[in-house]
PDB file of all heavy atoms in Angstrom:
ATOM      1  N   ALA X   1       0.831  -1.193   0.000  1.00 87.00           N
ATOM      2  CA  ALA X   1       0.000   0.000   0.000  1.00 87.00           C
ATOM      3  C   ALA X   1       0.872   1.252   0.000  1.00 87.00           C
ATOM      4  O   ALA X   1       1.908   1.302   0.672  1.00 87.00           O
ATOM      5  CB  ALA X   1      -0.915  -0.013   1.214  1.00 87.00           C
ATOM      6  N   LEU X   2       0.453   2.252  -0.760  1.00 91.00           N
ATOM      7  CA  LEU X   2       1.172   3.524  -0.788  1.00 91.00           C
ATOM      8  C   LEU X   2       0.726   4.386   0.384  1.00 91.00           C
ATOM      9  O   LEU X   2      -0.385   4.256   0.904  1.00 91.00           O
ATOM     10  CB  LEU X   2       0.884   4.254  -2.095  1.00 91.00           C
ATOM     11  CG  LEU X   2       1.343   3.557  -3.379  1.00 91.00           C
ATOM     12  CD1 LEU X   2       0.887   4.360  -4.594  1.00 91.00           C
ATOM     13  CD2 LEU X   2       2.845   3.374  -3.393  1.00 91.00           C
ATOM     14  N   GLU X   3       1.613   5.259   0.817  1.00 90.00           N
ATOM     15  CA  GLU X   3       1.255   6.191   1.875  1.00 90.00           C
ATOM     16  C   GLU X   3       0.120   7.093   1.387  1.00 90.00           C
ATOM     17  O   GLU X   3      -0.067   7.303   0.195  1.00 90.00           O
ATOM     18  CB  GLU X   3       2.472   7.008   2.290  1.00 90.00           C
ATOM     19  CG  GLU X   3       3.552   6.151   2.947  1.00 90.00           C
ATOM     20  CD  GLU X   3       4.705   6.969   3.497  1.00 90.00           C
ATOM     21  OE1 GLU X   3       4.623   8.209   3.470  1.00 90.00           O
ATOM     22  OE2 GLU X   3       5.686   6.369   3.965  1.00 90.00           O
ATOM     23  N   GLN X   4      -0.612   7.657   2.337  1.00 90.00           N
ATOM     24  CA  GLN X   4      -1.845   8.371   2.020  1.00 90.00           C
ATOM     25  C   GLN X   4      -1.616   9.520   1.047  1.00 90.00           C
ATOM     26  O   GLN X   4      -2.455   9.800   0.190  1.00 90.00           O
ATOM     27  CB  GLN X   4      -2.472   8.895   3.317  1.00 90.00           C
ATOM     28  CG  GLN X   4      -3.825   9.560   3.104  1.00 90.00           C
ATOM     29  CD  GLN X   4      -4.440  10.009   4.413  1.00 90.00           C
ATOM     30  OE1 GLN X   4      -3.899   9.748   5.485  1.00 90.00           O
ATOM     31  NE2 GLN X   4      -5.571  10.685   4.332  1.00 90.00           N
ATOM     32  N   TRP X   5      -0.491  10.214   1.143  1.00 93.00           N
ATOM     33  CA  TRP X   5      -0.258  11.396   0.317  1.00 93.00           C
ATOM     34  C   TRP X   5       0.256  11.067  -1.082  1.00 93.00           C
ATOM     35  O   TRP X   5       0.336  11.941  -1.944  1.00 93.00           O
ATOM     36  CB  TRP X   5       0.741  12.334   0.994  1.00 93.00           C
ATOM     37  CG  TRP X   5       2.089  11.707   1.277  1.00 93.00           C
ATOM     38  CD1 TRP X   5       2.469  11.077   2.422  1.00 93.00           C
ATOM     39  CD2 TRP X   5       3.215  11.660   0.403  1.00 93.00           C
ATOM     40  NE1 TRP X   5       3.762  10.626   2.324  1.00 93.00           N
ATOM     41  CE2 TRP X   5       4.248  10.969   1.095  1.00 93.00           C
ATOM     42  CE3 TRP X   5       3.462  12.117  -0.889  1.00 93.00           C
ATOM     43  CZ2 TRP X   5       5.495  10.734   0.528  1.00 93.00           C
ATOM     44  CZ3 TRP X   5       4.710  11.875  -1.453  1.00 93.00           C
ATOM     45  CH2 TRP X   5       5.709  11.196  -0.749  1.00 93.00           C
ATOM     46  N   VAL X   6       0.590   9.786  -1.322  1.00 93.00           N
ATOM     47  CA  VAL X   6       1.217   9.408  -2.584  1.00 93.00           C
ATOM     48  C   VAL X   6       0.159   9.186  -3.669  1.00 93.00           C
ATOM     49  O   VAL X   6      -0.766   8.396  -3.473  1.00 93.00           O
ATOM     50  CB  VAL X   6       2.054   8.124  -2.415  1.00 93.00           C
ATOM     51  CG1 VAL X   6       2.672   7.701  -3.749  1.00 93.00           C
ATOM     52  CG2 VAL X   6       3.142   8.335  -1.373  1.00 93.00           C
ATOM     53  N   PRO X   7       0.277   9.839  -4.824  1.00 93.00           N
ATOM     54  CA  PRO X   7      -0.689   9.620  -5.910  1.00 93.00           C
ATOM     55  C   PRO X   7      -0.623   8.185  -6.432  1.00 93.00           C
ATOM     56  O   PRO X   7       0.456   7.586  -6.488  1.00 93.00           O
ATOM     57  CB  PRO X   7      -0.231  10.607  -7.002  1.00 93.00           C
ATOM     58  CG  PRO X   7       0.639  11.597  -6.300  1.00 93.00           C
ATOM     59  CD  PRO X   7       1.283  10.857  -5.172  1.00 93.00           C
ATOM     60  N   ALA X   8      -1.753   7.641  -6.805  1.00 92.00           N
ATOM     61  CA  ALA X   8      -1.798   6.290  -7.352  1.00 92.00           C
ATOM     62  C   ALA X   8      -0.950   6.201  -8.619  1.00 92.00           C
ATOM     63  O   ALA X   8      -0.953   7.114  -9.450  1.00 92.00           O
ATOM     64  CB  ALA X   8      -3.239   5.907  -7.666  1.00 92.00           C
ATOM     65  N   GLY X   9      -0.218   5.114  -8.762  1.00 93.00           N
ATOM     66  CA  GLY X   9       0.574   4.892  -9.961  1.00 93.00           C
ATOM     67  C   GLY X   9       1.886   5.647 -10.001  1.00 93.00           C
ATOM     68  O   GLY X   9       2.561   5.672 -11.036  1.00 93.00           O
ATOM     69  N   ARG X  10       2.271   6.267  -8.920  1.00 95.00           N
ATOM     70  CA  ARG X  10       3.511   7.066  -8.877  1.00 95.00           C
ATOM     71  C   ARG X  10       4.718   6.176  -9.156  1.00 95.00           C
ATOM     72  O   ARG X  10       4.872   5.109  -8.573  1.00 95.00           O
ATOM     73  CB  ARG X  10       3.640   7.711  -7.511  1.00 95.00           C
ATOM     74  CG  ARG X  10       4.743   8.765  -7.386  1.00 95.00           C
ATOM     75  CD  ARG X  10       4.629   9.416  -6.026  1.00 95.00           C
ATOM     76  NE  ARG X  10       5.511  10.561  -5.891  1.00 95.00           N
ATOM     77  CZ  ARG X  10       6.413  10.666  -4.924  1.00 95.00           C
ATOM     78  NH1 ARG X  10       6.557   9.705  -4.037  1.00 95.00           N
ATOM     79  NH2 ARG X  10       7.173  11.739  -4.848  1.00 95.00           N
ATOM     80  N   ARG X  11       5.606   6.627 -10.042  1.00 97.00           N
ATOM     81  CA  ARG X  11       6.731   5.807 -10.481  1.00 97.00           C
ATOM     82  C   ARG X  11       8.050   6.551 -10.299  1.00 97.00           C
ATOM     83  O   ARG X  11       8.125   7.767 -10.487  1.00 97.00           O
ATOM     84  CB  ARG X  11       6.564   5.434 -11.952  1.00 97.00           C
ATOM     85  CG  ARG X  11       5.206   4.834 -12.293  1.00 97.00           C
ATOM     86  CD  ARG X  11       5.049   4.623 -13.784  1.00 97.00           C
ATOM     87  NE  ARG X  11       5.247   5.847 -14.529  1.00 97.00           N
ATOM     88  CZ  ARG X  11       5.262   5.913 -15.862  1.00 97.00           C
ATOM     89  NH1 ARG X  11       5.082   4.816 -16.558  1.00 97.00           N
ATOM     90  NH2 ARG X  11       5.447   7.058 -16.480  1.00 97.00           N
ATOM     91  N   LEU X  12       9.068   5.821  -9.970  1.00 98.00           N
ATOM     92  CA  LEU X  12      10.421   6.371  -9.862  1.00 98.00           C
ATOM     93  C   LEU X  12      11.216   5.907 -11.075  1.00 98.00           C
ATOM     94  O   LEU X  12      11.386   4.711 -11.298  1.00 98.00           O
ATOM     95  CB  LEU X  12      11.091   5.869  -8.586  1.00 98.00           C
ATOM     96  CG  LEU X  12      12.547   6.275  -8.361  1.00 98.00           C
ATOM     97  CD1 LEU X  12      12.680   7.785  -8.262  1.00 98.00           C
ATOM     98  CD2 LEU X  12      13.099   5.608  -7.111  1.00 98.00           C
ATOM     99  N   VAL X  13      11.684   6.849 -11.882  1.00 98.00           N
ATOM    100  CA  VAL X  13      12.411   6.537 -13.111  1.00 98.00           C
ATOM    101  C   VAL X  13      13.863   6.954 -12.931  1.00 98.00           C
ATOM    102  O   VAL X  13      14.157   8.150 -12.765  1.00 98.00           O
ATOM    103  CB  VAL X  13      11.795   7.256 -14.331  1.00 98.00           C
ATOM    104  CG1 VAL X  13      12.503   6.827 -15.610  1.00 98.00           C
ATOM    105  CG2 VAL X  13      10.302   6.973 -14.418  1.00 98.00           C
ATOM    106  N   LEU X  14      14.767   5.990 -12.945  1.00 98.00           N
ATOM    107  CA  LEU X  14      16.189   6.228 -12.710  1.00 98.00           C
ATOM    108  C   LEU X  14      16.977   5.815 -13.942  1.00 98.00           C
ATOM    109  O   LEU X  14      16.835   4.692 -14.427  1.00 98.00           O
ATOM    110  CB  LEU X  14      16.672   5.428 -11.509  1.00 98.00           C
ATOM    111  CG  LEU X  14      15.928   5.665 -10.187  1.00 98.00           C
ATOM    112  CD1 LEU X  14      16.450   4.707  -9.120  1.00 98.00           C
ATOM    113  CD2 LEU X  14      16.075   7.112  -9.732  1.00 98.00           C
ATOM    114  N   VAL X  15      17.854   6.703 -14.431  1.00 97.00           N
ATOM    115  CA  VAL X  15      18.586   6.416 -15.668  1.00 97.00           C
ATOM    116  C   VAL X  15      20.077   6.711 -15.473  1.00 97.00           C
ATOM    117  O   VAL X  15      20.449   7.821 -15.061  1.00 97.00           O
ATOM    118  CB  VAL X  15      18.062   7.253 -16.847  1.00 97.00           C
ATOM    119  CG1 VAL X  15      18.727   6.800 -18.148  1.00 97.00           C
ATOM    120  CG2 VAL X  15      16.548   7.163 -16.956  1.00 97.00           C
ATOM    121  N   ASP X  16      20.903   5.737 -15.804  1.00 96.00           N
ATOM    122  CA  ASP X  16      22.353   5.925 -15.867  1.00 96.00           C
ATOM    123  C   ASP X  16      22.677   6.367 -17.293  1.00 96.00           C
ATOM    124  O   ASP X  16      22.607   5.572 -18.229  1.00 96.00           O
ATOM    125  CB  ASP X  16      23.065   4.612 -15.523  1.00 96.00           C
ATOM    126  CG  ASP X  16      24.579   4.734 -15.566  1.00 96.00           C
ATOM    127  OD1 ASP X  16      25.106   5.647 -16.217  1.00 96.00           O
ATOM    128  OD2 ASP X  16      25.248   3.878 -14.950  1.00 96.00           O
ATOM    129  N   VAL X  17      23.012   7.635 -17.451  1.00 95.00           N
ATOM    130  CA  VAL X  17      23.205   8.191 -18.790  1.00 95.00           C
ATOM    131  C   VAL X  17      24.335   7.482 -19.527  1.00 95.00           C
ATOM    132  O   VAL X  17      24.220   7.152 -20.716  1.00 95.00           O
ATOM    133  CB  VAL X  17      23.492   9.706 -18.723  1.00 95.00           C
ATOM    134  CG1 VAL X  17      23.603  10.284 -20.130  1.00 95.00           C
ATOM    135  CG2 VAL X  17      22.407  10.425 -17.943  1.00 95.00           C
ATOM    136  N   GLU X  18      25.430   7.230 -18.848  1.00 94.00           N
ATOM    137  CA  GLU X  18      26.589   6.617 -19.497  1.00 94.00           C
ATOM    138  C   GLU X  18      26.296   5.194 -19.948  1.00 94.00           C
ATOM    139  O   GLU X  18      26.746   4.762 -21.013  1.00 94.00           O
ATOM    140  CB  GLU X  18      27.780   6.661 -18.534  1.00 94.00           C
ATOM    141  CG  GLU X  18      28.261   8.082 -18.300  1.00 94.00           C
ATOM    142  CD  GLU X  18      28.996   8.268 -16.993  1.00 94.00           C
ATOM    143  OE1 GLU X  18      28.907   7.377 -16.121  1.00 94.00           O
ATOM    144  OE2 GLU X  18      29.656   9.297 -16.832  1.00 94.00           O
ATOM    145  N   ASN X  19      25.522   4.467 -19.168  1.00 93.00           N
ATOM    146  CA  ASN X  19      25.132   3.123 -19.577  1.00 93.00           C
ATOM    147  C   ASN X  19      24.213   3.180 -20.788  1.00 93.00           C
ATOM    148  O   ASN X  19      24.310   2.354 -21.700  1.00 93.00           O
ATOM    149  CB  ASN X  19      24.435   2.404 -18.418  1.00 93.00           C
ATOM    150  CG  ASN X  19      24.125   0.964 -18.722  1.00 93.00           C
ATOM    151  OD1 ASN X  19      23.084   0.649 -19.299  1.00 93.00           O
ATOM    152  ND2 ASN X  19      25.012   0.071 -18.337  1.00 93.00           N
ATOM    153  N   LEU X  20      23.364   4.187 -20.830  1.00 93.00           N
ATOM    154  CA  LEU X  20      22.403   4.322 -21.925  1.00 93.00           C
ATOM    155  C   LEU X  20      23.083   4.630 -23.250  1.00 93.00           C
ATOM    156  O   LEU X  20      22.701   4.102 -24.295  1.00 93.00           O
ATOM    157  CB  LEU X  20      21.397   5.424 -21.581  1.00 93.00           C
ATOM    158  CG  LEU X  20      20.291   5.700 -22.590  1.00 93.00           C
ATOM    159  CD1 LEU X  20      19.354   4.502 -22.718  1.00 93.00           C
ATOM    160  CD2 LEU X  20      19.503   6.950 -22.186  1.00 93.00           C
ATOM    161  N   VAL X  21      24.107   5.499 -23.218  1.00 92.00           N
ATOM    162  CA  VAL X  21      24.717   5.953 -24.466  1.00 92.00           C
ATOM    163  C   VAL X  21      26.076   5.316 -24.752  1.00 92.00           C
ATOM    164  O   VAL X  21      26.699   5.626 -25.766  1.00 92.00           O
ATOM    165  CB  VAL X  21      24.856   7.489 -24.488  1.00 92.00           C
ATOM    166  CG1 VAL X  21      23.497   8.142 -24.337  1.00 92.00           C
ATOM    167  CG2 VAL X  21      25.827   7.989 -23.425  1.00 92.00           C
ATOM    168  N   GLY X  22      26.540   4.448 -23.860  1.00 89.00           N
ATOM    169  CA  GLY X  22      27.743   3.684 -24.160  1.00 89.00           C
ATOM    170  C   GLY X  22      29.055   4.323 -23.774  1.00 89.00           C
ATOM    171  O   GLY X  22      30.095   3.990 -24.339  1.00 89.00           O
ATOM    172  N   GLY X  23      29.054   5.238 -22.816  1.00 88.00           N
ATOM    173  CA  GLY X  23      30.305   5.814 -22.366  1.00 88.00           C
ATOM    174  C   GLY X  23      30.152   7.229 -21.868  1.00 88.00           C
ATOM    175  O   GLY X  23      29.082   7.832 -21.963  1.00 88.00           O
ATOM    176  N   SER X  24      31.244   7.778 -21.340  1.00 88.00           N
ATOM    177  CA  SER X  24      31.204   9.099 -20.731  1.00 88.00           C
ATOM    178  C   SER X  24      31.623  10.224 -21.674  1.00 88.00           C
ATOM    179  O   SER X  24      31.578  11.393 -21.303  1.00 88.00           O
ATOM    180  CB  SER X  24      32.120   9.128 -19.496  1.00 88.00           C
ATOM    181  OG  SER X  24      33.459   8.853 -19.874  1.00 88.00           O
ATOM    182  N   SER X  25      32.019   9.872 -22.897  1.00 88.00           N
ATOM    183  CA  SER X  25      32.498  10.892 -23.817  1.00 88.00           C
ATOM    184  C   SER X  25      31.490  11.224 -24.916  1.00 88.00           C
ATOM    185  O   SER X  25      31.829  11.845 -25.917  1.00 88.00           O
ATOM    186  CB  SER X  25      33.816  10.442 -24.463  1.00 88.00           C
ATOM    187  OG  SER X  25      33.626   9.233 -25.180  1.00 88.00           O
TER     188      SER X  25
END
């Protein structure tokens, strides 16, 4: 169950940019 103040369906989206694009350069 979500806490009372949390909207239904709330999602946390986390992205590692370097992993996504294949490097730091």
Side-chain angles (χ1 to χ4, degrees):
L2 297 176
E3 294 186 6
Q4 185 177 355
W5 59 268
V6 178
R10 190 173 188 236
R11 309 174 304 175
L12 176 62
V13 184
L14 304 175
V15 187
D16 180 339
V17 184
E18 292 156 345
N19 186 274
L20 181 65
V21 301
S24 61
S25 60

